[in-house]
Amino acid sequence: MESNQQKSLYERLGGASGISAIVDDAIDAHMNNPAINARFLPVKEDPKHFKEVRNHLFTFLASGSGGPEKYTGKDMPEAHKGMNISQGEYMHVIDDIMSTLDKHNIDDATKKDVLFIAYSIKDTMVGM
């Protein structure tokens, strides 16, 4: 039997269906987080744009975690250019993601891997 650490991050997050559910719940958490929802609620008002953003989030996470999906969106600096995201806002996003992973019973080692990735791209998004 393959140990959890021998599986790809994609597999540990539940593959396409698990990542899809995690993305949906993380978006919902962002929409309900008063510290950051002003950034996210306007996106929801345009269903076509919302679907596009949601699909980019899914393919970014799926592709980046070792899945077969191909991310075709903008790179992180370009996607967040001009948003001037603060450190605090970024931390709220990470907190929402970590809470979502808890909700989906993701193990601690996998959560640490996701957290490492989130911190590794932070400088490409904060203050841009």
Side-chain angles (χ1 to χ4, degrees):
M1 177 171 238
E2 190 176 34
S3 82
N4 203 31
Q5 282 307 110
Q6 291 174 316
K7 293 180 181 179
S8 70
L9 181 56
Y10 180 81
E11 293 171 304
R12 291 183 281 143
L13 291 171
S17 62
I19 291 171
S20 183
I22 289 167
V23 166
D24 288 339
D25 286 346
I27 290 171
D28 189 54
H30 299 338
M31 296 284 181
N32 289 296
N33 183 335
I36 58 172
N37 66 0
R39 297 245 187 216
F40 293 91
L41 290 173
V43 176
K44 199 170 188 176
E45 293 171 10
D46 179 350
K48 184 180 178 205
H49 184 60
F50 178 79
K51 183 178 179 182
E52 181 181 273
V53 169
R54 188 255 177 233
N55 287 338
H56 280 312
L57 289 169
F58 167 75
T59 56
F60 180 78
L61 184 55
S63 175
S65 63
E69 294 81 3
K70 298 294 177 217
Y71 177 69
T72 58
K74 298 174 182 175
D75 63 25
M76 289 301 102
E78 184 63 29
H80 297 88
K81 188 176 184 175
M83 295 177 98
N84 199 25
I85 298 168
S86 73
Q87 294 272 357
E89 288 172 317
Y90 196 80
M91 295 311 296
H92 278 283
V93 167
I94 289 177
D95 289 346
D96 287 349
I97 292 168
M98 292 296 112
S99 294
T100 299
L101 295 177
D102 284 339
K103 177 180 177 181
H104 287 266
N105 299 311
I106 301 298
D107 65 276
D108 286 342
T110 301
K111 287 189 298 191
K112 285 178 185 174
D113 288 346
V114 171
L115 188 61
F116 175 80
I117 293 166
Y119 274 112
S120 74
I121 63 174
K122 180 178 75 126
D123 289 342
T124 68
M125 297 165 64
V126 171
M128 296 294 160

